[in-house]
Amino acid sequence: MNLNLTTKKIDVEIEIILVTKNSKKIKNDKEILKSLNFKGEDEESALLPELGKLYVGCETDDSDNIRIAIATAIKTLNKTNFKSASIKCKDNLSAYIDGFELGNYKFDKYKSKQEELTQEDKNIYIIVDNIDKKIQKEFEESISICESVNMTRDFVNTPPDDFYPSIMAKEAIKIAQENELECKILDEDYLEQNNMGAMLAVGRASRHRSKLIHLTYKPSGKIKAKKKIVLVGKGLTYDSGGLSLKPSDFMVSMKSDKSGGCAVLGVMNTISTLNLPIEVHGIVGAVENMIGGDAYKPDDVLTAKNGKTIEIRNTDAEGRLVLADCLCYAQDEIKDIDYILDFATLTGACVVGVGQYTSGIMGNNSQLNHKIIKSASNSGELTTTLPFNRYLKKTLKSEIADICNISNTRYGGAITAGMFLDNFIKDENKQKWVHIDIAGPAFVESSWGYNPHGASGAGVRMAIEFIKDI
Ligand code: BES
Ligand code: ZN
Ligand code: ZN
């Protein structure tokens, strides 16, 4: 699919028309649409090939309704052999682009027979009133962001035997080369020499060596960075649960436990095209959590990079161990941080608590938490806050070490995981840190909105919007 921006009416096979309920736009085709029982509801479409029209329901002109309606349109077109289509766009161009680019996504690399219809040669024309610099920029930026979301989706969807820590590192190097970013890949020797005993233990039973990925974007030329932001991602390329093995039904889809890390790579892939006066660091802990004679165990006590000792009571609470060391690394290596955000598929409890469509936002600075919620909502992602409190904090106490890796209560698991991470945030950064649990939306079991089954790319758009808003 090729998206084109134009001011002229182009001769195309199909004109896409978004209609709200009782819209006047359908006046000429009222009867035929009635006979097709088209009501103009969400995710509803009516193709009238003889008239060269595709009507799509769009309940309001709110961004998310536009995204969903456009995704419905492109999915309908993809079932046909039509090669060209146009749509008028008065406002909110980026929502139209999101709908096309994200709604058109398919992951069919592993099908032995690719579907015959080639989507690549479809030409879509978005007709706007005029094309000035601002519109052109919005068009190019939105496409770039969507491409990064789709790249993140590809990474996450790739099976664990084809996407393990060193592959993740290779992808990071490629992103760095293409975008002129600095790139450091640190191996297990580095982790050992730098006392990152928590991250190191999680990957010990895997045949794949763990990698710590660190990408840096610095504005080019004379532009001086006004702010410094650090993104940290959980990159568990597979989470079997370790010796606290997951039940089989819960293990399926755990290739998606790298979603936070892949989202960070997605952001780093777009950041240089935005030309912002901001220094951005992307740090990913790429690790595989497996079983074996060398596996770390419940009852082990690990020491993280900041010297804190952690009693392991469940090896399936591994993401927080990897993040603990990555957060320490970030704060030791990067001075004068303005914001530090971590993205992780951290807890099933978050999905139970807020549902599979929403990410949980946690941290010590409620104003900053709300800023993230606003950026997320503007970008089309759903989030909500989960507040810390002193009582849940106590449930992480250990009799023998500084802290336990799981809490002693069945309740509030998303929050206690967030509060565990807080132990690895330096005092000077407490108000600058936000933890984002994307366990719900990162992987889509049954499609919703413009997300097909599989990875959604959760986190990418909200992070970019936040960085743009700074
Ligand atoms: N990767 C999982 C969390 C997860 C669950 C992500 C479902 C996406 C969907 C994480 O490592 C984990 O296993 N967490 C445990 C923590 C528990 C042992 C305290 C969980 O949520 O059950
Ligand atoms: Zn786990
Ligand atoms: Zn995990």
Side-chain angles (χ1 to χ4, degrees):
M1 181 193 68
N2 300 306
L3 280 186
N4 307 277
L5 196 59
T6 179
T7 51
K8 292 186 218 82
K9 202 171 179 306
I10 306 263
D11 195 21
V12 290
E13 292 159 296
I14 299 290
E15 188 190 348
I16 303 167
I17 305 159
L18 300 193
V19 285
T20 51
K21 273 189 196 163
N22 312 318
S23 166
K24 287 187 193 111
K25 284 192 214 162
I26 61 170
K27 58 176 184 293
N28 296 333
D29 303 316
K30 213 170 178 174
E31 288 312 311
I32 183 162
L33 287 172
K34 203 171 163 194
S35 66
L36 288 170
N37 200 22
F38 176 82
K39 297 190 197 76
E41 283 169 3
D42 254 6
E43 296 185 57
E44 201 189 356
S45 67
L47 179 63
L48 311 177
E50 299 87 353
L51 300 173
K53 289 179 185 173
L54 170 60
Y55 283 99
V56 184
C58 184
E59 285 183 6
T60 70
D61 58 3
D62 143 278
S63 305
D64 231 33
N65 280 326
I66 292 175
R67 291 185 189 101
I68 293 168
I70 296 287
T72 305
I74 189 68
K75 281 187 272 185
T76 308
L77 283 175
N78 279 341
K79 290 185 198 131
T80 74
N81 281 318
F82 292 115
K83 295 238 176 309
S84 61
S86 70
I87 184 161
K88 284 198 191 116
C89 166
K90 281 259 166 265
D91 196 17
N92 217 341
L93 176 62
S94 61
Y96 283 73
I97 292 166
D98 286 352
F100 280 118
E101 293 285 351
L102 303 179
N104 191 44
Y105 177 80
K106 253 192 3 193
F107 186 73
D108 55 5
K109 218 169 104 182
Y110 286 85
K111 296 263 188 202
S112 59
K113 283 198 195 81
Q114 247 94 48
E115 268 172 41
E116 290 225 331
L117 288 177
T118 49
Q119 296 171 12
E120 284 73 34
D121 48 14
K122 277 204 195 324
N123 264 310
I124 310 285
Y125 297 88
I126 303 179
I127 307 168
V128 291
D129 289 338
N130 75 314
I131 303 178
D132 54 16
K133 263 196 178 156
K134 194 172 153 254
I135 289 284
Q136 187 65 33
K137 189 166 173 256
E138 184 177 353
F139 179 70
E140 282 164 17
E141 275 188 15
S142 302
I143 289 184
S144 164
I145 294 168
C146 289
E147 282 173 354
S148 288
V149 172
N150 287 339
M151 183 195 80
T152 298
R153 287 169 161 186
D154 277 344
F155 288 173
V156 175
N157 283 329
T158 302
D161 233 24
D162 289 338
F163 202 103
Y164 39 85
S166 64
I167 302 281
M168 201 166 186
K170 253 193 212 156
E171 294 293 351
I173 293 168
K174 206 166 120 202
I175 290 168
Q177 281 165 349
E178 283 166 7
N179 295 282
E180 293 183 42
L181 310 176
E182 289 169 30
C183 176
K184 272 192 222 161
I185 306 294
L186 304 169
D187 60 13
E188 292 188 349
D189 289 341
Y190 179 95
L191 302 182
E192 203 163 332
Q193 282 152 21
N194 289 274
N195 309 314
M196 298 169 77
M199 175 167 166
L200 202 51
V202 174
R204 221 165 58 198
S206 168
R207 68 192 174 100
H208 301 294
R209 304 296 82 205
S210 303
K211 303 281 174 198
L212 192 154
I213 299 163
H214 182 176
L215 296 176
T216 309
Y217 165 76
K218 286 183 181 155
S220 62
K222 287 193 190 115
I223 309 167
K224 240 187 97 57
K226 293 199 178 86
K227 296 275 179 204
K228 210 182 272 185
I229 170 158
V230 182
L231 310 173
V232 179
K234 168 177 173 182
L236 260 290
T237 59
Y238 202 69
D239 180 13
S240 69
L243 289 180
S244 315
L245 196 63
K246 283 185 187 294
S248 1
D249 287 354
F250 288 72
M251 208 185 292
V252 177
S253 85
M254 276 303 134
K255 65 173 181 181
S256 69
D257 215 19
K258 55 185 179 302
S259 297
C262 293
V264 169
L265 295 184
V267 177
M268 297 312 287
N269 189 51
T270 282
I271 203 71
S272 60
T273 61
L274 303 177
N275 263 316
L276 298 167
I278 297 175
E279 183 174 314
V280 185
H281 293 261
I283 292 166
V284 179
V287 184
E288 190 182 57
N289 186 20
M290 297 298 284
I291 55 170
D294 197 25
Y296 82 122
K297 301 172 277 292
D299 285 350
D300 275 344
V301 175
L302 310 177
T303 308
K305 192 173 192 295
N306 67 351
K308 285 208 180 168
T309 56
I310 307 162
E311 179 192 352
I312 302 303
R313 293 181 74 90
N314 190 317
T315 61
D316 197 12
E318 83 301 332
R320 61 194 76 182
L321 302 171
V322 172
L323 283 179
D325 271 339
C326 288
L327 288 165
C328 291
Y329 166 88
Q331 297 168 94
D332 289 343
E333 294 299 311
I334 306 158
K335 298 287 156 240
D336 304 320
I337 297 171
D338 290 292
Y339 300 101
I340 178 161
L341 315 182
D342 76 70
F343 293 86
T345 47
L346 207 61
T347 63
C350 192
V351 195
V352 174
V354 304
Q356 69 269 47
Y357 311 108
T358 305
S359 295
I361 307 290
M362 286 155 263
N364 301 300
N365 180 341
S366 62
Q367 248 184 333
L368 181 56
N369 292 346
H370 282 97
K371 261 193 190 170
I372 299 278
I373 291 181
K374 198 163 157 259
S375 301
S377 149
N378 288 342
S379 77
E381 292 198 52
L382 297 176
T383 55
T384 187
T385 48
L386 297 171
F388 289 166
N389 68 62
R390 67 176 82 209
Y391 307 107
L392 283 174
K393 186 176 177 164
K394 286 190 190 145
T395 66
L396 286 162
K397 278 201 177 134
S398 164
E399 296 287 340
I400 62 160
D402 297 339
I403 189 172
C404 270
N405 82 322
I406 57 167
S407 86
N408 64 18
T409 157
R410 293 167 47 199
Y411 307 115
I415 298 178
T416 50
M419 297 194 87
F420 174 90
L421 296 178
D422 183 49
N423 282 276
F424 303 89
I425 301 295
K426 292 183 180 181
D427 285 342
E428 69 255 37
N429 292 325
K430 291 275 188 213
Q431 298 295 314
K432 300 174 181 175
W433 164 69
V434 180
H435 161 58
I436 302 152
D437 193 333
I438 58 172
F443 198 80
V444 176
E445 291 289 353
S446 64
S447 68
W448 49 273
Y450 39 89
N451 296 305
H453 165 87
S456 71
V460 177
R461 287 181 295 151
M462 76 166 96
I464 292 171
E465 189 70 24
F466 176 76
I467 296 170
K468 288 207 303 195
D469 278 352
I470 293 173

